[in-house]
Amino acid sequence: MSAPATAPVPRPGILEIAAYVGGEAHAPGTGRVIRLASNEGALGPSPKAVEAYLAGAAEIHRYPDGGSTALREALAGLHGIDASQIVCGAGSDELIGLLVRSYAGPGDEVLYSRHGFLMYPISAKSVGATPVAAPERDLCTDVDAMLAAVTPRTRLVFLANPNNPTGSYLPAAEVERLHAGLPPDVLLVIDAAYAEYIEREDYDSGLGLVDRAPNVVVTRTFSKIYALGSVRLGWAYCPAAVADVLNRVRGPFNVSSAAQLAGLAALHDQDFVARSRAHNETWREWTRQELERLGLKVHPSVTNFLLVSFAGAAGHNDPAEAARRYLKARGILVRQMGAYGLPDCLRITIGTEAEMREVVAALSSFLKG
Ligand SMILES: *Cc1c(COP(=O)(O)O)cnc(C)c1O
């Protein structure tokens, strides 16, 4: 028997977590800051969302509606889905964590693809489960490799579609093939945080699959195109039995009134969403072309960010890190990718026109350095 511990000890797995490090928000000494490190909305929030948020201020002594009723009904109307199967959360991160906690534990495996969103392995470790990363092909989820990695211990499979940080996506037919190859007791979680940015014939966020399959959940967020990252608001569309589970484990008041009010107003401002999507498309394509003209490799993206490879940029032994520091010294913050196993890359969020022109100009001078 081992000696008694002399201090409280967390459960197995917890101390293996490398805490999630968010994008930087400050560039001391530069006088201004351009934040392109966290995939926040380029245009700021909808003014209607801000107005609704402020209008709720006098009522903050009241507990929120624990069922997020008005918001769920509006989501159901917009997407043509069943409100009773929607569960809202304090960001989709909370829902990811609750799903893992509800369906996996010590000895279980949580499968994701090699460059999938970091919250999947973090959530798995936090419940003592084992995260398993399937290899990708060209920085895109490889359905065959995912299916080959399924074992009798697999409890959940996470698919970010489109994926962060690669910017790639799986066509609906491939998602169907992934689902068809999974045992019925494995939960497929499709994290569609960037769904509103992509308009492709062959893409689908998976809401219809939830209606057809008892083992598929889709998570969505208000943090990206709706630009409400600060209020923490996400939602999951689930089979009824999974919604029931989430409603048992979530906090009874997990979504604040401010989040519900802002989210509802943002949802009703679809013109703003359309403007954001069009802005993103224009400036993502412009930025991609300009960076390619500078000789950088830019991975194809359907999202509001670009994964840019600096491998081979002459004159630096760690060019991505050198570029990141160069930008930061000029008040421009982008995301380093070491934690994702992509140390040669930086992830650059699409911001305003002026911000995109600045980042391209700064990278041009860096490369001429
Ligand atoms: C940003 C992001 C989320 C989470 O967002 P919340 O702010 O917690 O709703 C989830 N998944 C992916 C892939 C993301 O990039």
Side-chain angles (χ1 to χ4, degrees), residues 91-93 96 117 120 160 164 191 193-194 221 223-224 232-234:
S92 45
D93 282 353
I96 291 167
F117 188 45
Y120 315 146
N164 172 18
D191 174 350
Y194 299 93
T221 183
S223 300
K224 303 292 157 55
R232 314 303 303 125
L233 183 59

mmCIF file with all atom_site columns, all heavy atoms in Angstrom, residues 91-93 96 117 120 160 164 191 193-194 221 223-224 232-234, ligand 1:
data_model
loop_
_atom_site.group_PDB
_atom_site.id
_atom_site.type_symbol
_atom_site.label_atom_id
_atom_site.label_alt_id
_atom_site.label_comp_id
_atom_site.label_asym_id
_atom_site.label_entity_id
_atom_site.label_seq_id
_atom_site.pdbx_PDB_ins_code
_atom_site.Cartn_x
_atom_site.Cartn_y
_atom_site.Cartn_z
_atom_site.occupancy
_atom_site.B_iso_or_equiv
_atom_site.pdbx_formal_charge
_atom_site.auth_seq_id
_atom_site.auth_comp_id
_atom_site.auth_asym_id
_atom_site.auth_atom_id
_atom_site.pdbx_PDB_model_num
ATOM   1   N N   . GLY A 1 91  ? -21.617 28.357 -23.581 1.00 0.00 ? 91  GLY A N   1
ATOM   2   C CA  . GLY A 1 91  ? -20.680 28.058 -24.649 1.00 0.00 ? 91  GLY A CA  1
ATOM   3   C C   . GLY A 1 91  ? -20.825 26.598 -25.033 1.00 0.00 ? 91  GLY A C   1
ATOM   4   O O   . GLY A 1 91  ? -21.302 25.776 -24.233 1.00 0.00 ? 91  GLY A O   1
ATOM   5   N N   . SER A 1 92  ? -20.455 26.266 -26.278 1.00 0.00 ? 92  SER A N   1
ATOM   6   C CA  . SER A 1 92  ? -20.510 24.844 -26.636 1.00 0.00 ? 92  SER A CA  1
ATOM   7   C C   . SER A 1 92  ? -19.453 24.071 -25.871 1.00 0.00 ? 92  SER A C   1
ATOM   8   O O   . SER A 1 92  ? -19.581 22.866 -25.672 1.00 0.00 ? 92  SER A O   1
ATOM   9   C CB  . SER A 1 92  ? -20.419 24.626 -28.145 1.00 0.00 ? 92  SER A CB  1
ATOM   10  O OG  . SER A 1 92  ? -19.426 25.393 -28.720 1.00 0.00 ? 92  SER A OG  1
ATOM   11  N N   . ASP A 1 93  ? -18.427 24.761 -25.377 1.00 0.00 ? 93  ASP A N   1
ATOM   12  C CA  . ASP A 1 93  ? -17.429 24.082 -24.533 1.00 0.00 ? 93  ASP A CA  1
ATOM   13  C C   . ASP A 1 93  ? -18.086 23.383 -23.336 1.00 0.00 ? 93  ASP A C   1
ATOM   14  O O   . ASP A 1 93  ? -17.712 22.274 -22.979 1.00 0.00 ? 93  ASP A O   1
ATOM   15  C CB  . ASP A 1 93  ? -16.397 25.083 -23.985 1.00 0.00 ? 93  ASP A CB  1
ATOM   16  C CG  . ASP A 1 93  ? -15.349 25.457 -25.020 1.00 0.00 ? 93  ASP A CG  1
ATOM   17  O OD1 . ASP A 1 93  ? -15.328 24.847 -26.112 1.00 0.00 ? 93  ASP A OD1 1
ATOM   18  O OD2 . ASP A 1 93  ? -14.541 26.364 -24.736 1.00 0.00 ? 93  ASP A OD2 1
ATOM   19  N N   . ILE A 1 96  ? -19.784 20.227 -24.611 1.00 0.00 ? 96  ILE A N   1
ATOM   20  C CA  . ILE A 1 96  ? -18.774 19.197 -24.921 1.00 0.00 ? 96  ILE A CA  1
ATOM   21  C C   . ILE A 1 96  ? -18.355 18.503 -23.621 1.00 0.00 ? 96  ILE A C   1
ATOM   22  O O   . ILE A 1 96  ? -18.305 17.278 -23.525 1.00 0.00 ? 96  ILE A O   1
ATOM   23  C CB  . ILE A 1 96  ? -17.557 19.835 -25.636 1.00 0.00 ? 96  ILE A CB  1
ATOM   24  C CG1 . ILE A 1 96  ? -17.952 20.301 -27.042 1.00 0.00 ? 96  ILE A CG1 1
ATOM   25  C CG2 . ILE A 1 96  ? -16.377 18.860 -25.690 1.00 0.00 ? 96  ILE A CG2 1
ATOM   26  C CD1 . ILE A 1 96  ? -16.923 21.227 -27.703 1.00 0.00 ? 96  ILE A CD1 1
ATOM   27  N N   . PHE A 1 117 ? -10.213 19.923 -32.448 1.00 0.00 ? 117 PHE A N   1
ATOM   28  C CA  . PHE A 1 117 ? -10.271 20.967 -31.409 1.00 0.00 ? 117 PHE A CA  1
ATOM   29  C C   . PHE A 1 117 ? -9.760  20.410 -30.069 1.00 0.00 ? 117 PHE A C   1
ATOM   30  O O   . PHE A 1 117 ? -10.116 19.319 -29.648 1.00 0.00 ? 117 PHE A O   1
ATOM   31  C CB  . PHE A 1 117 ? -11.726 21.402 -31.293 1.00 0.00 ? 117 PHE A CB  1
ATOM   32  C CG  . PHE A 1 117 ? -11.979 22.593 -30.422 1.00 0.00 ? 117 PHE A CG  1
ATOM   33  C CD1 . PHE A 1 117 ? -11.186 23.731 -30.509 1.00 0.00 ? 117 PHE A CD1 1
ATOM   34  C CD2 . PHE A 1 117 ? -13.044 22.584 -29.529 1.00 0.00 ? 117 PHE A CD2 1
ATOM   35  C CE1 . PHE A 1 117 ? -11.466 24.839 -29.717 1.00 0.00 ? 117 PHE A CE1 1
ATOM   36  C CE2 . PHE A 1 117 ? -13.330 23.681 -28.743 1.00 0.00 ? 117 PHE A CE2 1
ATOM   37  C CZ  . PHE A 1 117 ? -12.537 24.803 -28.832 1.00 0.00 ? 117 PHE A CZ  1
ATOM   38  N N   . TYR A 1 120 ? -11.563 18.506 -26.905 1.00 0.00 ? 120 TYR A N   1
ATOM   39  C CA  . TYR A 1 120 ? -11.956 17.087 -26.855 1.00 0.00 ? 120 TYR A CA  1
ATOM   40  C C   . TYR A 1 120 ? -10.994 16.286 -25.971 1.00 0.00 ? 120 TYR A C   1
ATOM   41  O O   . TYR A 1 120 ? -11.447 15.633 -25.025 1.00 0.00 ? 120 TYR A O   1
ATOM   42  C CB  . TYR A 1 120 ? -12.081 16.473 -28.254 1.00 0.00 ? 120 TYR A CB  1
ATOM   43  C CG  . TYR A 1 120 ? -12.833 17.325 -29.260 1.00 0.00 ? 120 TYR A CG  1
ATOM   44  C CD1 . TYR A 1 120 ? -12.482 17.328 -30.610 1.00 0.00 ? 120 TYR A CD1 1
ATOM   45  C CD2 . TYR A 1 120 ? -13.887 18.148 -28.863 1.00 0.00 ? 120 TYR A CD2 1
ATOM   46  C CE1 . TYR A 1 120 ? -13.166 18.112 -31.530 1.00 0.00 ? 120 TYR A CE1 1
ATOM   47  C CE2 . TYR A 1 120 ? -14.566 18.938 -29.779 1.00 0.00 ? 120 TYR A CE2 1
ATOM   48  C CZ  . TYR A 1 120 ? -14.186 18.922 -31.107 1.00 0.00 ? 120 TYR A CZ  1
ATOM   49  O OH  . TYR A 1 120 ? -14.849 19.713 -32.014 1.00 0.00 ? 120 TYR A OH  1
ATOM   50  N N   . ALA A 1 160 ? -15.126 17.918 -35.457 1.00 0.00 ? 160 ALA A N   1
ATOM   51  C CA  . ALA A 1 160 ? -15.378 19.345 -35.666 1.00 0.00 ? 160 ALA A CA  1
ATOM   52  C C   . ALA A 1 160 ? -15.548 19.532 -37.165 1.00 0.00 ? 160 ALA A C   1
ATOM   53  O O   . ALA A 1 160 ? -14.653 19.204 -37.944 1.00 0.00 ? 160 ALA A O   1
ATOM   54  C CB  . ALA A 1 160 ? -14.217 20.190 -35.151 1.00 0.00 ? 160 ALA A CB  1
ATOM   55  N N   . ASN A 1 164 ? -11.490 23.391 -36.520 1.00 0.00 ? 164 ASN A N   1
ATOM   56  C CA  . ASN A 1 164 ? -10.548 24.372 -35.999 1.00 0.00 ? 164 ASN A CA  1
ATOM   57  C C   . ASN A 1 164 ? -9.389  23.561 -35.403 1.00 0.00 ? 164 ASN A C   1
ATOM   58  O O   . ASN A 1 164 ? -9.667  22.686 -34.583 1.00 0.00 ? 164 ASN A O   1
ATOM   59  C CB  . ASN A 1 164 ? -11.244 25.191 -34.899 1.00 0.00 ? 164 ASN A CB  1
ATOM   60  C CG  . ASN A 1 164 ? -10.310 26.100 -34.149 1.00 0.00 ? 164 ASN A CG  1
ATOM   61  O OD1 . ASN A 1 164 ? -9.222  26.390 -34.614 1.00 0.00 ? 164 ASN A OD1 1
ATOM   62  N ND2 . ASN A 1 164 ? -10.728 26.549 -32.976 1.00 0.00 ? 164 ASN A ND2 1
ATOM   63  N N   . ASP A 1 191 ? -19.327 18.873 -33.996 1.00 0.00 ? 191 ASP A N   1
ATOM   64  C CA  . ASP A 1 191 ? -19.153 20.232 -33.471 1.00 0.00 ? 191 ASP A CA  1
ATOM   65  C C   . ASP A 1 191 ? -19.119 21.177 -34.673 1.00 0.00 ? 191 ASP A C   1
ATOM   66  O O   . ASP A 1 191 ? -18.127 21.259 -35.384 1.00 0.00 ? 191 ASP A O   1
ATOM   67  C CB  . ASP A 1 191 ? -17.840 20.268 -32.667 1.00 0.00 ? 191 ASP A CB  1
ATOM   68  C CG  . ASP A 1 191 ? -17.477 21.662 -32.180 1.00 0.00 ? 191 ASP A CG  1
ATOM   69  O OD1 . ASP A 1 191 ? -18.100 22.647 -32.597 1.00 0.00 ? 191 ASP A OD1 1
ATOM   70  O OD2 . ASP A 1 191 ? -16.517 21.746 -31.379 1.00 0.00 ? 191 ASP A OD2 1
ATOM   71  N N   . ALA A 1 193 ? -19.244 24.536 -34.955 1.00 0.00 ? 193 ALA A N   1
ATOM   72  C CA  . ALA A 1 193 ? -19.076 25.918 -34.475 1.00 0.00 ? 193 ALA A CA  1
ATOM   73  C C   . ALA A 1 193 ? -18.990 26.932 -35.626 1.00 0.00 ? 193 ALA A C   1
ATOM   74  O O   . ALA A 1 193 ? -19.345 28.098 -35.444 1.00 0.00 ? 193 ALA A O   1
ATOM   75  C CB  . ALA A 1 193 ? -17.819 26.013 -33.596 1.00 0.00 ? 193 ALA A CB  1
ATOM   76  N N   . TYR A 1 194 ? -18.511 26.482 -36.794 1.00 0.00 ? 194 TYR A N   1
ATOM   77  C CA  . TYR A 1 194 ? -18.307 27.406 -37.920 1.00 0.00 ? 194 TYR A CA  1
ATOM   78  C C   . TYR A 1 194 ? -19.320 27.191 -39.040 1.00 0.00 ? 194 TYR A C   1
ATOM   79  O O   . TYR A 1 194 ? -19.124 27.671 -40.162 1.00 0.00 ? 194 TYR A O   1
ATOM   80  C CB  . TYR A 1 194 ? -16.869 27.261 -38.459 1.00 0.00 ? 194 TYR A CB  1
ATOM   81  C CG  . TYR A 1 194 ? -15.847 27.592 -37.401 1.00 0.00 ? 194 TYR A CG  1
ATOM   82  C CD1 . TYR A 1 194 ? -15.310 26.593 -36.588 1.00 0.00 ? 194 TYR A CD1 1
ATOM   83  C CD2 . TYR A 1 194 ? -15.448 28.902 -37.177 1.00 0.00 ? 194 TYR A CD2 1
ATOM   84  C CE1 . TYR A 1 194 ? -14.408 26.892 -35.578 1.00 0.00 ? 194 TYR A CE1 1
ATOM   85  C CE2 . TYR A 1 194 ? -14.543 29.215 -36.169 1.00 0.00 ? 194 TYR A CE2 1
ATOM   86  C CZ  . TYR A 1 194 ? -14.035 28.209 -35.386 1.00 0.00 ? 194 TYR A CZ  1
ATOM   87  O OH  . TYR A 1 194 ? -13.147 28.507 -34.383 1.00 0.00 ? 194 TYR A OH  1
ATOM   88  N N   . THR A 1 221 ? -22.604 27.196 -31.765 1.00 0.00 ? 221 THR A N   1
ATOM   89  C CA  . THR A 1 221 ? -22.192 28.256 -30.838 1.00 0.00 ? 221 THR A CA  1
ATOM   90  C C   . THR A 1 221 ? -22.620 29.637 -31.314 1.00 0.00 ? 221 THR A C   1
ATOM   91  O O   . THR A 1 221 ? -22.814 29.860 -32.516 1.00 0.00 ? 221 THR A O   1
ATOM   92  C CB  . THR A 1 221 ? -20.664 28.235 -30.652 1.00 0.00 ? 221 THR A CB  1
ATOM   93  O OG1 . THR A 1 221 ? -20.305 29.227 -29.681 1.00 0.00 ? 221 THR A OG1 1
ATOM   94  C CG2 . THR A 1 221 ? -19.927 28.543 -31.950 1.00 0.00 ? 221 THR A CG2 1
ATOM   95  N N   . SER A 1 223 ? -20.552 32.033 -30.417 1.00 0.00 ? 223 SER A N   1
ATOM   96  C CA  . SER A 1 223 ? -19.275 32.732 -30.244 1.00 0.00 ? 223 SER A CA  1
ATOM   97  C C   . SER A 1 223 ? -18.611 33.115 -31.564 1.00 0.00 ? 223 SER A C   1
ATOM   98  O O   . SER A 1 223 ? -17.717 33.943 -31.579 1.00 0.00 ? 223 SER A O   1
ATOM   99  C CB  . SER A 1 223 ? -18.297 31.853 -29.468 1.00 0.00 ? 223 SER A CB  1
ATOM   100 O OG  . SER A 1 223 ? -18.808 31.530 -28.204 1.00 0.00 ? 223 SER A OG  1
ATOM   101 N N   . LYS A 1 224 ? -19.015 32.503 -32.670 1.00 0.00 ? 224 LYS A N   1
ATOM   102 C CA  . LYS A 1 224 ? -18.281 32.720 -33.908 1.00 0.00 ? 224 LYS A CA  1
ATOM   103 C C   . LYS A 1 224 ? -19.034 33.695 -34.804 1.00 0.00 ? 224 LYS A C   1
ATOM   104 O O   . LYS A 1 224 ? -18.930 34.887 -34.597 1.00 0.00 ? 224 LYS A O   1
ATOM   105 C CB  . LYS A 1 224 ? -17.960 31.378 -34.552 1.00 0.00 ? 224 LYS A CB  1
ATOM   106 C CG  . LYS A 1 224 ? -17.151 30.448 -33.612 1.00 0.00 ? 224 LYS A CG  1
ATOM   107 C CD  . LYS A 1 224 ? -15.737 30.945 -33.353 1.00 0.00 ? 224 LYS A CD  1
ATOM   108 C CE  . LYS A 1 224 ? -15.068 30.443 -32.086 1.00 0.00 ? 224 LYS A CE  1
ATOM   109 N NZ  . LYS A 1 224 ? -14.980 29.020 -31.866 1.00 0.00 ? 224 LYS A NZ  1
ATOM   110 N N   . ARG A 1 232 ? -20.888 33.669 -23.438 1.00 0.00 ? 232 ARG A N   1
ATOM   111 C CA  . ARG A 1 232 ? -20.843 32.212 -23.309 1.00 0.00 ? 232 ARG A CA  1
ATOM   112 C C   . ARG A 1 232 ? -22.192 31.597 -23.623 1.00 0.00 ? 232 ARG A C   1
ATOM   113 O O   . ARG A 1 232 ? -23.038 31.417 -22.744 1.00 0.00 ? 232 ARG A O   1
ATOM   114 C CB  . ARG A 1 232 ? -20.366 31.766 -21.895 1.00 0.00 ? 232 ARG A CB  1
ATOM   115 C CG  . ARG A 1 232 ? -19.149 32.475 -21.356 1.00 0.00 ? 232 ARG A CG  1
ATOM   116 C CD  . ARG A 1 232 ? -17.956 32.335 -22.314 1.00 0.00 ? 232 ARG A CD  1
ATOM   117 N NE  . ARG A 1 232 ? -17.626 30.947 -22.591 1.00 0.00 ? 232 ARG A NE  1
ATOM   118 C CZ  . ARG A 1 232 ? -17.541 30.422 -23.820 1.00 0.00 ? 232 ARG A CZ  1
ATOM   119 N NH1 . ARG A 1 232 ? -17.734 31.164 -24.901 1.00 0.00 ? 232 ARG A NH1 1
ATOM   120 N NH2 . ARG A 1 232 ? -17.230 29.172 -23.991 1.00 0.00 ? 232 ARG A NH2 1
ATOM   121 N N   . LEU A 1 233 ? -22.391 31.297 -24.885 1.00 0.00 ? 233 LEU A N   1
ATOM   122 C CA  . LEU A 1 233 ? -23.663 30.703 -25.298 1.00 0.00 ? 233 LEU A CA  1
ATOM   123 C C   . LEU A 1 233 ? -23.464 29.720 -26.441 1.00 0.00 ? 233 LEU A C   1
ATOM   124 O O   . LEU A 1 233 ? -22.913 30.059 -27.494 1.00 0.00 ? 233 LEU A O   1
ATOM   125 C CB  . LEU A 1 233 ? -24.635 31.821 -25.735 1.00 0.00 ? 233 LEU A CB  1
ATOM   126 C CG  . LEU A 1 233 ? -26.046 31.378 -26.135 1.00 0.00 ? 233 LEU A CG  1
ATOM   127 C CD1 . LEU A 1 233 ? -26.762 30.654 -25.001 1.00 0.00 ? 233 LEU A CD1 1
ATOM   128 C CD2 . LEU A 1 233 ? -26.868 32.580 -26.601 1.00 0.00 ? 233 LEU A CD2 1
ATOM   129 N N   . GLY A 1 234 ? -23.894 28.497 -26.195 1.00 0.00 ? 234 GLY A N   1
ATOM   130 C CA  . GLY A 1 234 ? -23.873 27.471 -27.233 1.00 0.00 ? 234 GLY A CA  1
ATOM   131 C C   . GLY A 1 234 ? -25.106 26.606 -27.077 1.00 0.00 ? 234 GLY A C   1
ATOM   132 O O   . GLY A 1 234 ? -25.865 26.767 -26.118 1.00 0.00 ? 234 GLY A O   1
HETATM 133 C C1  . LIG B 2 .   ? -14.670 28.255 -30.813 1.00 0.00 ? 1   LIG B C1  1
HETATM 134 C C2  . LIG B 2 .   ? -15.005 26.803 -30.882 1.00 0.00 ? 1   LIG B C2  1
HETATM 135 C C3  . LIG B 2 .   ? -15.918 26.204 -30.007 1.00 0.00 ? 1   LIG B C3  1
HETATM 136 C C4  . LIG B 2 .   ? -16.481 26.854 -28.827 1.00 0.00 ? 1   LIG B C4  1
HETATM 137 O O1  . LIG B 2 .   ? -17.009 27.731 -28.543 1.00 0.00 ? 1   LIG B O1  1
HETATM 138 P P1  . LIG B 2 .   ? -17.832 28.267 -27.313 1.00 0.00 ? 1   LIG B P1  1
HETATM 139 O O2  . LIG B 2 .   ? -17.388 29.668 -27.212 1.00 0.00 ? 1   LIG B O2  1
HETATM 140 O O3  . LIG B 2 .   ? -17.507 27.443 -26.100 1.00 0.00 ? 1   LIG B O3  1
HETATM 141 O O4  . LIG B 2 .   ? -19.239 28.078 -27.759 1.00 0.00 ? 1   LIG B O4  1
HETATM 142 C C5  . LIG B 2 .   ? -16.235 24.876 -30.145 1.00 0.00 ? 1   LIG B C5  1
HETATM 143 N N1  . LIG B 2 .   ? -15.675 24.148 -31.105 1.00 0.00 ? 1   LIG B N1  1
HETATM 144 C C6  . LIG B 2 .   ? -14.794 24.657 -31.967 1.00 0.00 ? 1   LIG B C6  1
HETATM 145 C C7  . LIG B 2 .   ? -14.245 23.787 -33.020 1.00 0.00 ? 1   LIG B C7  1
HETATM 146 C C8  . LIG B 2 .   ? -14.416 25.993 -31.871 1.00 0.00 ? 1   LIG B C8  1
HETATM 147 O O5  . LIG B 2 .   ? -13.494 26.503 -32.693 1.00 0.00 ? 1   LIG B O5  1
#
